[in-house]
Amino acid sequence: MQTLTVAIGAKGIDFFTKHYVTDVLANDLKGMKFPDHDVPGIKEFTIEDTGSTWVYCEHLDVNLTNGKLQGFDPVYQGVKQQSNGTFTLTYDAEKFTVPYTWAEQWDRKACTRFGCDPATSQGPNSFDYNPSIGKLDTTVTVSFAYDSGRNSYDIKYQSSSATPSDSSTEPPGDSVIQHEKGFWGGKHLNTDAVAAIGGVEFAKPVQDSINPMLASIPASGKLTDDITFNFAVGDSKLAFPGDNGITIGVTGEVAYKGTPYPGPQPTALPVPTPPVDDHHVEVYVSDYTVSALHWAYWKAGKLDLTLRPSDLPDPDSLKVKTYVTAVKAFKPYAAFAMTAQVTPVALPQKDIPQTYEFAQVYEFTQATETILQKQLPSDVYALIKTSLDGNAYTQTSDLTADLRQLGVAEQYDEAIGKATRVMGMVVTQNLEFALFIEDGKSRPQIVFDLLRTDVLQNLALGRSGNAQTMQYDFHKVTFDATLKSTTVPGFDKVDFGGMVWPIIGEPRYDEALQKLGKTGVALPIVQDFTFLFEQAQLSIQEHYVSVLADVAYKNA
């Protein structure tokens, strides 16, 4: 199963890596401690030569401890994707030091022409040692993998190398090695110390700093305390097509209080090709995720409405007296107010109150009307602009019926259909709309089955709590209210529901739907990164919604 598929292009990989190297990783490396390093058995050398006495240093052992970086500021150079999900990061640093504690121990041997005294042990003596590195070129190779057992993405260390150059390591001024003729020991120590710095495994800080951030991806699916999206790897798994980008299939399973969405399994969702332009990422979103969110919203009771006169702009809309002239059966209750209830109801043989599907729709938007203005006679265009602006149709027959009613000639149908026809996501909702007369006794009621059709419009990215989501608006296309039952004696106004629903129930239900749309479908993303909402390009395709986007980093 997969309801989301993700493709990250070279620009996205570079952006992610750059900001971790320059921010998280750089901070971790600055405090990194270097391993202790021993330079044993430095060659014997003369400390003093008076012509009659000679003093020698023998068995000099130097131990370097407490090494750390100082003034280390790595500069990101780039990342190169290798085979099988491995990546090589390159960065360098200039003009920094690696302070150590220098501890030395040696044997002092004094000699004359008559012989040598027994050697005496000296030390250990400790000094500060501050080798400096002019430049350090570092490469770190890691692999990117998914651990299904932990539901976590991991960066795993493969190898690293560091090449120092322009190094300077003057031994401590009070060290015995300062007496060495030609500083053979100092040069030897210099070479060894620099090699130790270059041999440090810089990949471990990479692994330790990035993995906690990757572990935040599952948490990005927590939409509310009760509604969660599971971002485990789906059918297409984690892949590296052509070693030029990353693709991931994501289950995107939705649960409400731990109960999975019971709707139909999603159709096979294709995987986008990693962007080759400047965009960072492309995400495909299936209709399953949108429908599952609708179901979870329903289970949470967020689509149930109870309305009283004071809840409406015109309180008289819920007063029986308003309708006595049209409905004779209301006359005995003329003095009473009513309460309205709107409740989504599960569809027959299903535990969901709605269906979503991708289909061709006709939308009269500013963009489509601009096209029509160039193609239609001015009087025909003016008629359409005045009467159909903002309309949406899911059936061709409904559109042509309205065109005929407006007096638009059939010869313009093809141009109008072509200009307004787009791929849309159509949602059909099953509702119960009930009116209760508050007579203080039996509460007579009129109950209607209501079937409403909407299309989703104005797709965009946004934030909902801590989640980043694909958001949308609901645009009503049609509704049909059918009398289901009544306990009002003599009530026979079968079209009453269609008359009062737009006044009483629809405005507040529209508000509830818009809140649902502004909550939106959670998208997987790493902590501290944010989709650039305003620049994202969203489009409805034949079987999915495409989201082409860039991301920003918190400190960028």
Side-chain angles (χ1 to χ4, degrees), residues 41-293:
I42 294 176
K43 184 179 179 181
E44 176 184 305
F45 55 87
T46 302
I47 298 175
E48 182 181 339
D49 181 357
T50 64
S52 59
T53 61
W54 299 268
V55 179
Y56 301 98
C57 172
E58 294 183 329
H59 309 123
L60 172 61
D61 294 332
V62 175
N63 179 240
L64 303 178
T65 59
N66 302 319
K68 59 184 179 181
L69 289 168
Q70 191 171 80
F72 183 76
D73 189 15
V75 178
Y76 175 73
Q77 300 299 314
V79 59
K80 184 176 181 180
Q81 185 168 350
Q82 310 290 350
S83 61
N84 301 319
T86 58
F87 299 84
T88 298
L89 291 66
T90 305
Y91 53 93
D92 60 35
E94 297 183 351
K95 298 179 181 178
F96 64 96
T97 60
V98 187
Y100 278 102
T101 298
W102 170 305
E104 64 183 30
Q105 194 164 355
W106 52 285
D107 292 337
R108 182 181 185 278
K109 184 174 71 174
C111 300
T112 66
R113 69 184 64 180
F114 303 107
C116 297
D117 296 333
T120 58
S121 179
Q122 306 293 311
N125 300 315
S126 295
F127 311 101
D128 291 333
Y129 175 52
N130 296 286
S132 64
I133 309 296
K135 185 178 181 182
L136 186 70
D137 295 314
T138 305
T139 61
V140 176
T141 299
V142 297
S143 62
F144 184 39
Y146 175 74
D147 187 326
S148 58
R150 295 187 297 109
N151 185 23
S152 177
Y153 298 89
D154 290 330
I155 290 290
K156 295 184 178 180
Y157 162 66
Q158 298 295 318
S159 63
S160 66
S161 66
T163 305
S165 58
D166 300 328
S167 306
S168 174
T169 53
E170 180 67 22
D174 293 331
S175 170
V176 67
I177 207 169
Q178 290 285 0
H179 296 281
E180 181 199 7
K181 185 178 181 180
F183 290 105
W184 179 91
K187 292 177 181 178
H188 176 69
L189 193 59
N190 179 7
T191 302
D192 266 21
V194 170
I197 294 168
V200 170
E201 292 185 351
F202 283 89
K204 189 176 187 304
V206 175
Q207 181 173 304
D208 291 347
S209 64
I210 293 181
N211 280 342
M213 297 304 177
L214 294 178
S216 70
I217 294 176
S220 67
K222 188 176 178 63
L223 198 59
T224 70
D225 288 340
D226 297 328
I227 302 173
T228 56
F229 285 71
N230 181 355
F231 290 147
V233 164
D235 298 338
S236 296
K237 304 187 183 302
L238 174 65
F240 309 93
D243 297 323
N244 189 28
I246 301 171
T247 60
I248 310 170
V250 182
T251 59
E253 185 179 34
V254 177
Y256 174 72
K257 290 187 174 180
T259 300
Y261 170 58
Q265 291 292 298
T267 56
L269 183 66
V271 179
T273 300
V276 295
D277 56 11
D278 288 339
H279 286 100
H280 294 161
V281 62
E282 185 165 16
V283 182
Y284 287 172
V285 183
S286 77
D287 57 342
Y288 166 96
T289 58
V290 186
S291 185
L293 173 64

Side-chain angles (χ1 to χ4, degrees), residues 237-529:
K237 304 187 183 302
L238 174 65
F240 309 93
D243 297 323
N244 189 28
I246 301 171
T247 60
I248 310 170
V250 182
T251 59
E253 185 179 34
V254 177
Y256 174 72
K257 290 187 174 180
T259 300
Y261 170 58
Q265 291 292 298
T267 56
L269 183 66
V271 179
T273 300
V276 295
D277 56 11
D278 288 339
H279 286 100
H280 294 161
V281 62
E282 185 165 16
V283 182
Y284 287 172
V285 183
S286 77
D287 57 342
Y288 166 96
T289 58
V290 186
S291 185
L293 173 64
H294 196 129
W295 164 82
Y297 227 70
W298 167 57
K299 296 296 285 187
K302 295 179 180 291
L303 297 177
D304 295 335
L305 301 177
T306 298
L307 304 173
R308 296 175 176 82
S310 59
D311 296 322
L312 303 181
D314 181 5
D316 282 350
S317 298
L318 273 174
K319 300 290 180 66
V320 177
K321 65 181 181 180
T322 304
Y323 308 103
V324 167
T325 302
V327 184
K328 301 300 183 183
F330 278 171
K331 190 172 182 179
Y333 309 101
F336 298 110
M338 293 185 289
T339 298
Q341 289 185 352
V342 181
T343 309
V345 178
L347 292 163
Q349 299 179 336
K350 297 181 180 180
D351 188 28
I352 56 175
Q354 81 293 320
T355 61
Y356 281 76
E357 63 176 345
F358 292 100
Q360 294 280 353
V361 299
Y362 302 90
E363 296 182 347
F364 287 82
T365 63
Q366 182 176 349
T368 59
E369 289 168 5
T370 299
I371 297 173
L372 290 175
Q373 187 175 19
K374 299 175 182 178
Q375 297 179 347
L376 300 177
S378 58
D379 59 332
V380 176
Y381 169 74
L383 191 60
I384 288 176
K385 175 69 175 175
T386 301
S387 302
L388 302 185
D389 182 48
N391 282 14
Y393 299 86
T394 60
Q395 301 294 328
T396 306
S397 58
D398 292 338
L399 171 59
T400 55
D402 278 2
L403 291 175
R404 297 296 86 78
Q405 190 171 16
L406 290 174
V408 176
E410 188 175 341
Q411 69 186 82
Y412 301 117
D413 286 2
E414 183 178 353
I416 294 170
K418 185 176 180 180
T420 60
R421 185 169 53 246
V422 295
M423 183 59 64
M425 188 179 291
V426 180
V427 53
T428 302
Q429 303 170 70
N430 191 41
L431 307 173
E432 184 176 272
F433 174 44
L435 296 171
F436 297 87
I437 298 175
E438 302 296 351
D439 64 348
K441 298 176 183 178
S442 60
R443 296 186 77 211
Q445 60 182 285
I446 311 105
V447 182
F448 300 91
D449 285 332
L450 195 141
L451 201 64
R452 169 172 165 148
T453 301
D454 292 76
V455 295
L456 302 190
Q457 293 183 338
N458 302 324
L459 275 68
L461 297 185
R463 185 178 292 279
S464 179
N466 293 324
Q468 297 179 50
T469 62
M470 183 190 78
Q471 302 177 1
Y472 40 86
D473 293 335
F474 288 83
H475 182 83
K476 186 199 72 176
V477 178
T478 62
F479 76 91
D480 181 40
T482 304
L483 180 62
K484 179 180 181 180
S485 64
T486 181
T487 58
V488 176
F491 183 89
D492 60 359
K493 187 70 172 175
V494 294
D495 61 348
F496 186 69
M499 182 175 71
V500 298
W501 165 255
I503 302 169
I504 297 174
E506 187 173 88
R508 295 299 293 272
Y509 190 69
D510 284 347
E511 292 177 9
L513 286 179
Q514 297 313 323
K515 289 180 181 178
L516 164 59
K518 292 307 177 188
T519 299
V521 171
L523 300 177
I525 195 165
V526 177
Q527 175 184 324
D528 296 334
F529 284 83

